[in-house]
Amino acid sequence: MTVEADAAFVTTVRRRLHELAEPARAPQMRAYMKSSMPFLGVRVPQVRAVVRAEAREQPPGSPTQLVATVLALWRSAEFREERYAATALLGAPSTRSLRRPEHVTVLEELIVAGAWWDHVDELSHRVGDLLREFPDAVRPAVVRWQTEPDRWLRRSSIICQLGCRDRTDLDLLVAAVDANAADPDFFLRKAIGWALREYARTDPDWVRAFVASRSLSALSRREALKHLG
């Protein structure tokens, strides 16, 4: 049986976003993101607040309906903030109990479709959520992403453990860095530095030693050691 998206939730979120729209801000936001999709002019914290509030009032009834509602918001979006709302729904407190390891395939679709850092970085946090909760089931997908042709999947494989601190899977992080260290792509080199800089908050000596042992780009090295003196 096919589970339908929560149409009332989608309608309400869209209405609230339109109510919060600041048309004067929209062109600047669109230019900054180099977006082909227009903006409403709603700030990201406002988008998240709308989604959290509505999901608290009318949470999805099942993991399947959560996915269906996320995809309805994303696939039919006319404004970029609607896609931000789709991602926010996956991270809303009231939907956390509905997370399932198979949702990583949905995240993969959205990462490839989003294909820009604003979408990918936020979606990567959701990948990290699943990785922490279901490591055995989700880890193989992240390993595969490390060498995918799509650079955004590779970026996600590098940064999906941001904030994991002492729960970081170091073997997974090292594999992601090593697989992409030689790639000249700015977003991958920046991601490597960002991931290492974040882990340096937990183990600065490990990061120093790791950077010294690898041939990293100047950008990755600079970012990794940024707060280590």
Side-chain angles (χ1 to χ4, degrees), residues 63-189:
T64 307
Q65 187 175 58
L66 169 62
V67 168
T69 305
V70 166
L71 292 178
L73 272 168
W74 182 282
R75 290 174 176 170
S76 63
E78 296 180 11
F79 297 93
R80 203 171 185 94
E81 290 93 337
E82 293 171 337
R83 290 191 163 181
Y84 293 163
T87 305
L89 181 57
L90 287 169
S94 58
T95 68
R96 287 174 186 167
S97 64
L98 300 176
R99 291 174 184 158
R100 298 293 183 269
E102 57 268 25
H103 292 174
V104 73
T105 60
V106 177
L107 290 168
E108 181 169 348
E109 175 188 332
L110 302 188
I111 288 168
V112 173
W116 198 240
W117 65 265
D118 58 334
H119 289 313
V120 174
D121 293 2
E122 190 64 25
L123 289 162
S124 294
H125 288 302
R126 306 288 75 80
V127 175
D129 293 339
L130 294 182
L131 186 61
R132 285 190 295 274
E133 292 182 46
F134 313 103
D136 292 341
V138 175
R139 195 179 193 275
V142 177
V143 170
R144 175 172 56 81
W145 294 356
Q146 293 169 359
T147 54
E148 282 284 337
D150 186 276
R151 65 172 172 171
W152 299 109
L153 288 175
R154 285 186 281 148
R155 179 175 169 93
S156 186
S157 77
I158 297 165
I159 64 172
C160 66
Q161 296 193 82
L162 292 175
C164 286
R165 296 187 177 273
D166 58 359
R167 296 180 63 189
T168 300
D169 180 336
L170 280 178
D171 290 339
L172 191 63
L173 175 60
V174 168
V177 171
D178 286 345
N180 292 282
D183 196 295
D185 183 81
F186 168 83
F187 290 102
L188 294 176
R189 292 186 167 188

Side-chain angles (χ1 to χ4, degrees), residues 46-57:
Q46 292 177 298
V47 175
R48 292 173 181 156
V50 165
V51 172
R52 284 196 301 268
E54 296 304 324
R56 190 166 54 245
E57 290 296 319

Side-chain angles (χ1 to χ4, degrees), residues 30-51:
R30 185 175 185 177
Y32 177 70
M33 284 300 169
K34 302 177 181 178
S35 177
S36 59
M37 183 176 287
F39 277 82
L40 286 165
V42 183
R43 302 167 194 266
V44 172
Q46 292 177 298
V47 175
R48 292 173 181 156
V50 165
V51 172

